[in-house]
Amino acid sequence: MFFDPLCPWAWMTSRWLLQVEQVRPVDITWSVMSLSVLNENREGLPDSYKAMLSRGWAPVRLVIAAAREHGDEVKKALYDAIGHRFHLEQRGQDEASQREVLQEALAEVGLPADLIRFADNVPGDDIDQLLRASHQRAIDLVGDDVGTPVVAVEGTAFFGPVVTPAPKGEAAGKLWDGCLLVAATPGFYEIKRTRSVGPDFS
């Protein structure tokens, strides 16, 4: 799964995938993509969305840096810690409180506090290069007219699913089966309907 910690819909998909892992022979690997990278050259975005994208660089940089310094296995734990605060506690809605959330998340998962320096653009460091490369891996799988999350499995990749609340138990498994079925169908591209509710984190 490719995720941006800032995206509530990616969070919903990640919680669904954790349920899928319990009922299907699936082992999840976690990779970063970035709404800030995806939208950095797009015009006409609302000011509120631009503000969110401006805050979006720090969390993805931090996850990329943590993985570089301490191995890929830290990605999920750090994502869980950040996502819980962002989405369940509704914290980190401005730069100052976001910094606090990221520092708390590092502490929760036992990572060095000084990793927080990578939340900023560090001249001469390759974090942004690594971030862009990870993001590009997702885009290469599905194209650039989608967002996060992206799920890839055995040569098939798709955006989403955008679902709320996250299905649990066998319902999660059935949605997984259906997603694989349609995504693996040659020539299949899209199913969509207008969202009428926001994410339900229950």
Side-chain angles (χ1 to χ4, degrees):
M1 176 183 166
F2 291 83
F3 65 90
D4 183 325
L6 212 60
C7 178
W9 298 106
W11 178 256
M12 299 299 301
T13 299
S14 73
R15 301 309 97 177
W16 163 65
L17 283 174
L18 292 175
Q19 290 287 314
V20 172
E21 203 171 33
Q22 303 303 310
V23 295
R24 296 293 185 272
V26 172
D27 293 312
I28 305 166
T29 57
W30 303 90
S31 297
V32 174
M33 64 183 300
S34 169
L35 292 173
S36 299
V37 172
L38 182 69
N39 291 287
E40 65 181 334
N41 295 317
R42 293 195 176 165
E43 299 179 358
L45 297 172
D47 288 343
S48 59
Y49 196 70
K50 288 180 183 176
M52 184 199 74
L53 295 175
S54 179
R55 295 193 314 272
W57 291 96
V60 288
R61 283 174 174 152
L62 186 63
V63 175
I64 290 288
R68 184 188 69 178
E69 302 292 310
H70 298 279
D72 281 349
E73 62 274 10
V74 304
K75 287 178 186 173
K76 179 188 180 292
L78 191 53
Y79 179 36
D80 288 348
I82 295 170
H84 184 91
R85 289 164 173 81
F86 277 176
H87 306 301
L88 302 187
E89 297 178 4
Q90 293 292 298
R91 296 174 55 209
Q93 306 299 312
D94 57 68
E95 288 188 18
S97 62
Q98 178 179 264
R99 196 80 166 191
E100 183 177 277
V101 161
L102 298 180
Q103 290 169 326
E104 288 178 11
L106 288 171
E108 178 181 318
V109 302
L111 289 169
D114 68 354
L115 281 175
I116 194 66
R117 71 189 188 279
F118 292 111
D120 302 313
N121 185 17
V122 180
D125 195 83
D126 67 347
I127 292 300
D128 278 12
Q129 181 180 341
L130 294 172
L131 168 59
R132 290 176 188 278
S134 182
H135 175 83
Q136 192 60 46
R137 284 178 52 223
I139 295 304
D140 288 346
L141 291 167
V142 294
D144 62 3
D145 61 346
V146 300
T148 176
V150 167
V151 174
V153 56
E154 296 179 351
T156 296
F158 50 89
F159 162 71
V162 175
V163 60
T164 189
K168 297 176 176 63
E170 184 57 22
K174 288 180 178 178
L175 177 57
W176 173 256
D177 298 339
C179 286
L180 291 189
L181 178 64
V182 297
T185 300
F188 176 84
Y189 292 103
E190 187 171 359
I191 289 178
K192 189 169 184 177
R193 58 185 170 191
T194 300
R195 293 193 303 265
S196 59
V197 297
D200 174 357
F201 300 118
S202 63

